[in-house]
Amino acid sequence: MLKYTIQRLLFMLLTLFIIIGMCFVLIRLLPPPYVAPEDPHKEVIEARREAMGYNKPIPVQFGIFLKSVLTEWDWGISDKMYVGQDVFGLFVKKMPATVIVNLYSILLSIPIGIILGIFAALKKNTWIDHAISTLTMVVISVPSFVYAFLIQYIFSYKLGWFPFLMKSGTDYFTWDMFVSMLPAVMALSFGVIAGFTRTTRAELTEVLTSEFMLLARTKGLTKTQATVRHAMKNCMVVILPSIFGNFIGIMSGSLIIEKIFSIPGVGQLYINSINAPDYPLFIMITAFYTSIGLLAGIVVDISYGLIDPRIRMGSKK
Amino acid sequence: MDKNYFEHIPKEKFEFQQLDANIHDKKLETKSRGYFADAMIRFKKNKSSVVAAWILMFLVVFSIVSPLISPHHIKEMNSTYVNHPPFIKAIADKKWGIFDGAYVHESQSENQKLTWEAIGKETGLNPIIEVVDTTIQKEKYRGRWRDVTYYKLENNKYYERGVVYRTLAYEEFKNLVKFQDETGIQVLYPYVEPKDINDIKDNANIWYQVKDAKGTPKLDADGNFIPAYSTNQEMADLIPYDSLRIESDPGNYIYYFEKSGAVHVRVCYFNYYQYEQWKVDGEAQEPMYIFGTNSLGQCLFTAIGVGARFSLIFAVLVSAINLTLGAIYGAIQGYYGGMIDMVLDRISDILSGVPFVVVTTLFQLHLAQKVGIVPSFLFAFVLTGWIGMASLTRKQFYRFKSQEFVLAARTLGASDWRLMFKHIFPNALGTIITSCALVIPGVISSEVSMTYLGIINLQEAFGTSIGTLASQGQTAMTSAPHAMLFPSIFISLLLISFNLFGNGLRDAFNPATRGVDD
C-alpha cells in the first residue's frame, strides 16, 4: 500500500513536471507582453525579465524558473494585471472565496445527493425512481450557466431574495456574505447533487440485489436494518472516494460560475490571466489546477484501498 | 471390396431421391435478425430515448433550416433593435399575447405614458399594449401633498422607438420618397423645429407643443395634443415634396429640413426599417424577429441556428477523429500489451492530466494565427479527447485477444494488423459505438463552456456560437431575458436529448449494462 502510494506520488510529480515544462516552453516561445516606453514600471519589469533569463535559451530559462520555484517558492511576478505583485501571493489571496463557496456547495449537495440516490434505489422501478433518475439525467446534461441564469433571474431579479453578485470584501463569515454567496452555491450544487444521486443509485441497486442482502433478511433483519448495516456500508466503498475527490476539487472552483457571480476566486483570476494575458500568473495557476486534478485522482484511488482492504492496490490487473 | 468400386460408378446408377417429393424441413417463419436490427428493436422499446431521438432530429433540422428561412443574415446587426423581444407583426396584431415584442415597464409617470401615447397618435403604431397596473401615491411637491399616478405598462418595444432623426443625402431622400410612393408606407413625418418645442433637440418623438424643457406635453381643452409641426417652407423648397402626407396635414407642413448639403428628417423607425429592407431586397419587410434580437442586434433565430450548426458539425468531427485515433491507440495497447502497453499508458496518463482549459488556451495562443481559430480549437479537443476511447478499446482488446478464434486466425497466418482490425475489433464494436453517442454531447458541452468564457471567440470565423450567445444574453439578463432564455433552452434540450439518446443506444447495444449509469 505504502509502496503503491509512493509510486503514484512520484509518478504524479513526474507528470506535473512534464506538463509544467511543456506549458512553460510554449509560453516562453511567445513574445513577452509589450511594455510601453512611458510605463512607470518599465524598468522594474525589464530588470525582472533580465533576471528571469528572457534573453537566454529556453532550457536555461526553465532552469531558472525551476530553481526559483523550488528554492524560494517564487513563481514570478505578474506583468500585466497586477504589475509587480507576487503571483503566488495573489493566488493565495483569491483562494478563500473559491474554497468557501465550493465548500458550502458540497456540504449542501452531498447529503442531498446521497439521500435522493438511496431513495431512488429503494424505490427501484417505481415512479419515484423514474422521476429521480430522469431528473438526474436532465440536471447532469444542462450546462451550469443555465442554472446560474435561472437562479439569478428567478431568485435575484423576480423575487429579490438574493443579490445578483457576490458581495465584495473579505468578511467571508458574515451573514450578508453568506446570503450573497447562496446563488453561486446553488448553481454549483445542481451538478454535484445529480452526480452523487446517480452514483449512489447505481451502486445501491447493485448491492441490494446481491446475495448477502438476502442472507441478512433471512437471518431476521428488517429491511431498514439490512440496508443501513450491510448495503450502505458496501455502497460507501464507491461513494466515499468520490466525496474525497470532491473535497480536493473545492480548491479549483468553477470558471463559469465564478465569472457569472463575480466571485473573487481562483477561477476568475485564471480567466482574467488568460484574457489579459498575464503569463506568470497563467503558468502558476495551470500548475495548481494540474496538481489538484492529479491529486484528486490519487486520493480517490488510494482511498478505495483504505476503505475496502479487499481491493488490492498496485497489483497487476 | 476394392476402392475402385466407388470411384467409377456409372452415371446411370444415380437417381434423384425426391425430385417430386416434398421436403419436410420447416421453412423459417420469422425473419432472421442481425445484431443491429436486434439493437434497433431494443432501442425502440425505450420510449424516452425514442422521444429524445425525435427531439434531436428536430433540433438538427432546426439548425439547418433556421438560417435559410430566416429573413436575417447572421452578419446583419441592427443597431436600433438591440435586445428586443420576439416580434411577428401578423401575430402581434391578433393580440394573443405572444410575439408582440412586449416589455413591461414598472412604475412609469403620467408624462412618460403621455409621450408613448403621442407616438401611437402620430405613427398609428401604439406602443402601449396594456396598462397592467395603476398605483396612486401621495407625494410631497413644493410643500403640498398631491396624488401622483404611476403605471405599470406593457409596451411593444418595436413601436416604442417611434420616430427618429436621420440625416440623409439628397439622393437618399429622393429614394426614400420613391419608396413611399411605391409602397404607400408613411416613413417621413412632418418636421418639428427645436425652437417650437422648447429647444429639445435629442427627442424626435416630440411633435406636440410642450410646457417645459423636459417635454411635458401641453394639452388642449379636450385633452388632445397640439401639433407643433413646422411650416417653414423656406427650409424645404429644394426638393418639392409631393409624396404621402399625414392625415391632419392641411398641406403646408414640411417633411424635411435642409441642413448643410443634406436633409434632416424625422422618420418612423418601424417603417424606415422597411425602407432599408426594400433598398436591399426590393421588397418592404416589416421587422420580424421570431426569437427577438441579442445585444448585437442579431436575429436570435438565425444566430441560434448558426451556432448550433457549428456545435453539431464540430462535435461530430471531433468525435470522429477522436474515435479513430483512440481506437487505433487502444488497439495497439491492448493487442501488444506488456512494455508497449505500459509506455503508451504512461503517455496517455500524462496527457490526461493537462486541464482542458490550458490546452485550449495554449493552442489558441500558438496556432490560432497560423491555422485559424477553428482548427486550433479542434486540435485542442483532439489532443486529449481520444484518451477515453483508447482505454475503452484497450479493455475490449484484453477481453478478446486470448480467445480461440484469434488463436485460430493466427494459426492460419493472419497478420497482426488483420487480427486487430478484422477479428478483434468487430467484436468490440458494440461497446465502442455506444460510447460514441455519449462523446458528442461531451464535446458540445465543453465547446459551449469555452465560447461562453470567451476563451474561444468564433464571431469572426463562424458568425456566432451558442456559448457566445449565452454570454451576451447574460449581460442583459434582466432587461432582455429572452436573449439568454432561447440559447439556454436550445443547448439544454440538445444536450439532454443527446444524452438520453446515447443512453438508449448503449442499453440497446449492450443489454447487459442496462440501467447502469456511468
Side-chain angles (χ1 to χ4, degrees):
Chain A
M1 192 67 205
L2 188 69
K3 193 181 153 211
Y4 174 72
T5 312
I6 291 170
Q7 253 181 9
R8 284 294 302 264
L9 281 174
L10 284 180
F11 183 68
M12 173 192 149
L13 285 181
L14 176 71
T15 312
L16 193 62
F17 175 77
I18 293 173
I19 292 173
I20 294 176
M22 286 194 305
C23 183
F24 183 87
V25 171
L26 286 174
I27 288 292
R28 282 294 163 90
L29 282 175
L30 295 166
Y34 175 71
V35 186
E38 65 274 9
D39 195 312
H41 306 284
K42 188 174 160 58
E43 278 182 16
V44 183
I45 293 173
E46 278 181 354
R48 175 77 196 178
R49 280 186 185 162
E50 183 62 40
M52 282 158 75
Y54 264 86
N55 304 322
K56 299 196 178 81
I58 284 177
V60 179
Q61 293 185 26
F62 189 48
I64 295 173
F65 172 74
L66 275 186
K67 199 180 143 207
S68 64
V69 166
L70 293 178
T71 55
E72 299 160 43
W73 200 246
D74 175 11
W75 287 85
I77 54 171
S78 166
D79 58 7
K80 192 86 175 266
M81 284 160 62
Y82 305 89
V83 177
Q85 292 192 44
D86 177 39
V87 166
F88 191 74
L90 281 171
F91 164 77
V92 169
K93 251 189 258 164
K94 299 280 179 183
M95 203 69 201
T98 301
V99 170
I100 289 169
V101 170
N102 281 282
L103 191 66
Y104 285 151
S105 157
I106 61 168
L107 288 183
L108 174 78
S109 39
I110 290 177
I112 297 180
I114 293 179
I115 288 170
L116 282 178
I118 294 173
F119 209 55
L122 290 179
K123 306 268 176 194
K124 194 171 189 296
N125 289 333
T126 61
W127 67 270
I128 300 178
D129 174 36
H130 293 309
I132 292 179
S133 305
T134 316
L135 217 61
T136 311
M137 181 75 222
V138 167
V139 168
I140 284 187
S141 309
V142 173
S144 56
F145 60 79
V146 177
Y147 300 126
F149 161 64
L150 291 177
I151 288 168
Q152 277 193 333
Y153 191 72
I154 297 171
F155 294 123
S156 303
Y157 178 58
K158 284 283 168 192
L159 299 172
W161 291 354
F162 307 112
F164 277 88
L165 305 174
M166 186 171 146
K167 199 164 92 66
S168 57
T170 48
D171 48 335
Y172 294 114
F173 298 101
T174 56
W175 177 249
D176 280 357
M177 193 55 132
F178 179 70
V179 170
S180 76
M181 276 176 185
L182 273 182
V185 171
M186 280 194 282
L188 278 170
S189 299
F190 277 105
V192 188
I193 291 178
F196 272 99
T197 307
R198 192 157 76 165
T199 334
T200 315
R201 182 188 168 273
E203 274 309 305
L204 200 58
T205 42
E206 212 182 305
V207 174
L208 282 177
T209 52
S210 51
E211 277 163 2
F212 64 79
M213 281 303 290
L214 192 64
L215 177 72
R217 291 301 304 278
T218 354
K219 77 179 183 192
L221 295 182
T222 63
K223 201 178 176 194
T224 324
Q225 284 172 327
T227 311
V228 174
R229 292 190 204 160
H230 295 272
M232 277 317 291
K233 259 190 194 167
N234 274 286
C235 153
M236 278 303 157
V237 173
V238 174
I239 297 171
L240 272 183
S242 91
I243 292 179
F244 293 147
N246 265 284
F247 266 98
I248 299 277
I250 60 173
M251 283 187 277
S252 55
S254 154
L255 302 181
I256 290 186
I257 297 294
E258 292 202 358
K259 186 184 172 198
I260 295 176
F261 293 100
S262 107
I263 298 169
V266 182
Q268 213 183 32
L269 188 69
Y270 194 45
I271 291 293
N272 292 341
S273 80
I274 290 172
N275 290 333
D278 193 324
Y279 298 134
L281 207 50
F282 176 73
I283 292 181
M284 201 257 122
I285 305 179
T286 299
F288 171 71
Y289 272 158
T290 313
S291 39
I292 286 294
L294 294 171
L295 204 64
I298 293 181
V299 167
V300 168
D301 282 357
I302 291 174
S303 54
Y304 269 113
L306 285 180
I307 295 160
D308 188 353
R310 287 172 306 174
I311 301 174
R312 303 236 340 204
M313 281 296 148
S315 57
K316 292 263 182 282
K317 280 167 211 159
Chain B
M1 258 189 253
D2 72 331
K3 59 182 179 183
N4 282 346
Y5 178 79
F6 294 106
E7 275 176 16
H8 303 285
I9 306 169
K11 205 178 179 185
E12 52 292 356
K13 283 213 167 180
F14 286 99
E15 65 179 52
F16 288 105
Q17 178 68 32
Q18 26 172 212
L19 196 60
D20 302 320
N22 280 329
I23 301 170
H24 289 283
D25 279 346
K26 229 182 183 173
K27 229 181 163 183
L28 282 173
E29 275 168 7
T30 49
K31 259 208 262 169
S32 60
R33 295 201 303 245
Y35 179 54
F36 285 89
D38 203 33
M40 230 13 240
I41 287 168
R42 256 177 272 146
F43 180 78
K44 275 182 193 154
K45 275 194 192 142
N46 191 343
K47 287 283 171 298
S48 65
S49 303
V50 175
V51 173
W54 281 107
I55 295 176
L56 198 58
M57 194 129 70
F58 170 75
L59 294 177
V60 171
V61 170
F62 174 86
S63 74
I64 296 169
V65 170
S66 78
L68 295 177
I69 61 168
S70 164
H72 307 282
H73 190 262
I74 185 70
K75 292 266 151 67
E76 191 183 313
M77 295 176 195
N78 190 311
S79 52
T80 307
Y81 289 153
V82 168
N83 275 336
H84 275 42
F87 176 73
I88 301 171
K89 188 158 189 293
I91 297 177
D93 288 345
K94 292 198 169 68
K95 300 201 185 302
W96 288 340
I98 48 166
F99 294 114
D100 50 5
Y103 179 80
V104 177
H105 293 275
E106 302 279 346
S107 57
Q108 296 297 321
S109 65
E110 184 78 45
N111 274 342
Q112 187 58 50
K113 183 163 170 271
L114 270 179
T115 54
W116 280 326
E117 277 169 4
I119 293 173
K121 282 249 168 64
E122 188 183 27
T123 62
L125 304 166
N126 188 5
I128 299 174
I129 302 171
E130 201 190 348
V131 181
V132 184
D133 199 14
T134 314
T135 45
I136 298 169
Q137 278 181 20
K138 285 213 180 298
E139 271 180 22
K140 212 168 191 180
Y141 178 72
R142 288 186 185 168
R144 261 196 281 159
W145 288 97
R146 61 167 195 178
D147 287 340
V148 183
T149 322
Y150 284 102
Y151 298 94
K152 185 178 173 185
L153 298 171
E154 193 181 0
N155 274 10
N156 183 327
K157 238 185 158 182
Y158 290 82
Y159 296 166
E160 208 177 278
R161 181 61 56 171
V163 176
V164 294
Y165 284 123
R166 281 284 185 275
T167 305
L168 305 175
Y170 293 134
E171 284 310 307
E172 184 82 28
F173 180 73
K174 281 177 191 157
N175 204 14
L176 181 54
V177 169
K178 191 174 148 224
F179 167 77
Q180 281 202 139
D181 292 339
E182 260 181 38
T183 57
I185 297 169
Q186 181 92 43
V187 180
L188 292 161
Y189 280 82
Y191 197 77
V192 178
E193 282 182 78
K195 70 174 169 57
D196 297 335
I197 51 169
N198 234 321
D199 278 331
I200 299 171
K201 292 197 179 87
D202 53 357
N203 189 350
N205 276 317
I206 297 179
W207 55 276
Y208 38 78
Q209 294 182 12
V210 293
K211 283 191 237 171
D212 50 26
K214 277 190 287 179
T216 317
K218 201 189 272 178
L219 302 176
D220 65 11
D222 303 329
N224 290 323
F225 297 99
I226 311 159
Y229 294 130
S230 167
T231 51
N232 188 355
Q233 299 295 339
E234 280 165 31
M235 291 308 290
D237 56 358
L238 194 75
I239 311 163
Y241 184 81
D242 49 6
S243 180
L244 300 181
R245 283 175 179 276
I246 60 166
E247 249 174 62
S248 61
D249 189 357
N252 59 353
Y253 290 164
I254 59 165
Y255 283 77
Y256 64 92
F257 203 74
E258 281 175 50
K259 200 177 177 186
S260 53
V263 293
H264 202 223
V265 288
R266 288 175 72 232
V267 292
C268 170
Y269 189 77
F270 191 84
N271 295 337
Y272 186 73
Y273 179 94
Q274 303 187 45
Y275 161 68
E276 282 181 332
Q277 294 289 321
W278 175 80
K279 263 199 306 194
V280 182
D281 307 336
E283 206 180 328
Q285 273 173 343
E286 278 157 354
M288 181 178 89
Y289 292 100
I290 299 171
F291 285 174
T293 59
N294 66 1
S295 60
L296 296 178
Q298 287 169 322
C299 168
L300 267 179
F301 186 70
T302 318
I304 290 177
V306 170
R309 272 183 189 179
F310 174 79
S311 291
L312 288 168
I313 296 172
F314 189 75
V316 169
L317 203 65
V318 167
S319 312
I321 296 174
N322 281 345
L323 290 181
T324 321
L325 275 183
I328 295 174
Y329 195 92
I332 293 172
Q333 266 190 312
Y335 182 78
Y336 292 108
M339 198 59 198
I340 295 181
D341 181 21
M342 214 197 74
V343 172
L344 293 185
D345 213 28
R346 288 298 91 102
I347 294 178
S348 63
D349 267 1
I350 290 172
L351 278 179
S352 68
V354 192
F356 181 64
V357 198
V358 178
V359 185
T360 319
T361 313
L362 287 177
F363 274 60
Q364 199 61 20
L365 290 171
H366 272 276
L367 282 173
Q369 271 148 22
K370 285 174 206 146
V371 296
I373 292 173
V374 178
S376 80
F377 197 24
L378 186 96
F379 289 148
F381 268 103
V382 169
L383 186 75
T384 53
W386 52 268
I387 293 170
M389 195 60 220
S391 72
L392 197 73
T393 320
R394 174 171 169 271
K395 255 187 239 158
Q396 295 296 314
F397 264 68
Y398 267 109
R399 202 173 124 199
F400 287 110
K401 76 173 179 186
S402 52
Q403 292 198 358
E404 277 88 359
F405 67 91
V406 181
L407 189 66
R410 181 172 304 169
T411 327
L412 289 171
S415 67
D416 281 353
W417 198 254
R418 191 180 163 80
L419 276 176
M420 277 198 250
F421 289 100
K422 278 270 173 185
H423 294 277
I424 305 178
F425 196 72
N427 281 292
L429 204 61
T431 326
I432 290 168
I433 288 177
T434 52
S435 75
C436 176
L438 290 171
V439 166
I440 294 179
V443 173
I444 295 182
S445 122
S446 345
E447 178 255 321
V448 168
S449 318
M450 287 300 129
T451 47
Y452 184 88
L453 288 171
I455 294 176
I456 300 290
N457 191 345
L458 296 164
Q459 265 161 295
E460 270 166 44
F462 222 84
T464 189
S465 64
I466 301 279
T468 313
L469 288 177
S471 76
Q472 285 163 352
Q474 178 74 32
T475 54
M477 187 191 64
T478 52
S479 61
H482 72 275
M484 182 69 191
L485 187 66
F486 288 116
S488 299
I489 289 180
F490 186 89
I491 191 68
S492 306
L493 263 186
L494 186 71
L495 290 177
I496 293 169
S497 53
F498 243 125
N499 278 328
L500 277 178
F501 174 71
N503 276 351
L505 266 194
R506 188 192 49 201
D507 293 350
F509 276 96
N510 314 325
T513 62
R514 188 189 306 248
V516 182
D517 288 336
D518 64 320

